Amino acid sequence: MLEEEGINERIRYCNACALSDSRRVYGDVNRSRILFIGEAPGQDERRIGLPFVGDAGQVLDSWIRECGFTRKQVAIINAVKCMKEKNRKPAIDEIDACNIFLWDQIYMLKPSKIVVLGASAMYSVLRTQMPVMENVGRIFKVVRDDLEFELLIMPHPAYCLRNLTYKPPIDIMKRFLK
Ligand code: SF4
């Protein structure tokens, strides 16, 4: 059985990609049927050691609240556990290198609903590089081994901070998480 401590230990000593000498952010791994997946830790996340704690985190927190949950009632992880540059997008080979840990966390949590936030998170689970913003609001059913979950594509909250006139489909997310 996969245990959080064992997964974190393997992440701690991983040097599978060029990001290995930066701080690891394991996730906010509350036991929940709902899992949010983001991209990679930004500056604030690396400082505090938790995902989504900066400005984008506040946006995500407000979405979670609008859907009737608290942050402690959901799990939040990133596709990539390390990042050394300011807030750059991880490269495909970095997402691929870290994918084993992402799936370990998914197998451990066994969520019934996953919300992927942005292109890197979408690629990390669905292995597609289709344009994320054209697919926001789409729901997929994913079956892998003994796992089965529904997956909703949402934009990364940082995109919404950069594009203040854009309105993310929170109503779809609300219905999806019911
Ligand atoms: Fe390992 Fe992932 Fe960190 Fe790369 S980003 S060193 S694969 S834990």
Side-chain angles (χ1 to χ4, degrees), residues 16-174:
C17 83
L19 302 171
S20 67
D21 58 349
S22 54
R23 182 173 185 181
R24 280 112 227 271
V25 176
Y26 306 108
D28 200 354
V29 190
N30 303 304
R31 298 293 163 149
S32 172
R33 69 179 177 87
I34 298 170
L35 172 64
F36 288 85
I37 302 178
E39 187 173 82
Q43 260 180 325
D44 293 324
E45 286 75 22
R46 294 197 292 280
R47 187 169 47 82
I48 293 171
L50 284 170
F52 284 99
V53 289
D55 292 342
Q58 287 187 20
V59 174
L60 179 61
D61 286 351
S62 73
W63 293 359
I64 291 169
R65 278 197 306 274
E66 275 189 67
C67 291
F69 298 95
T70 66
R71 190 173 166 127
K72 285 285 158 214
Q73 291 175 310
V74 303
I76 307 173
I77 59 175
N78 279 319
V80 167
K81 313 304 177 196
C82 318
M83 179 51 67
K84 22 187 195 191
E85 291 161 46
K86 200 172 169 197
N87 277 329
R88 83 153 159 84
K89 203 174 160 57
I92 290 291
D93 64 322
E94 292 162 348
I95 299 172
D96 288 346
C98 221
N99 206 240
I100 187 167
F101 301 126
L102 179 89
W103 279 101
D104 279 354
Q105 290 174 313
I106 295 174
Y107 277 102
M108 176 185 73
L109 289 164
K110 298 193 177 6
S112 56
K113 306 276 170 131
I114 291 184
V115 180
V116 288
L117 304 162
S120 299
M122 177 186 74
Y123 169 77
S124 71
V125 182
L126 294 181
R127 316 303 288 175
T128 172
Q129 295 188 61
M130 61 188 178
V132 69
M133 293 310 294
E134 288 173 23
N135 289 282
V136 163
R138 284 184 71 189
I139 293 170
F140 292 79
K141 184 170 180 176
V142 178
V143 179
R144 179 168 154 150
D145 302 327
D146 61 341
L147 272 182
E148 195 173 317
F149 55 84
E150 286 187 294
L151 177 147
L152 168 68
I153 298 175
M154 288 289 283
H156 194 285
Y159 174 88
C160 302
L161 284 172
R162 291 192 303 271
N163 299 276
L164 294 174
T165 54
Y166 173 78
K167 296 281 170 247
I170 303 298
D171 51 331
I172 293 179
M173 190 162 107
K174 215 182 221 175

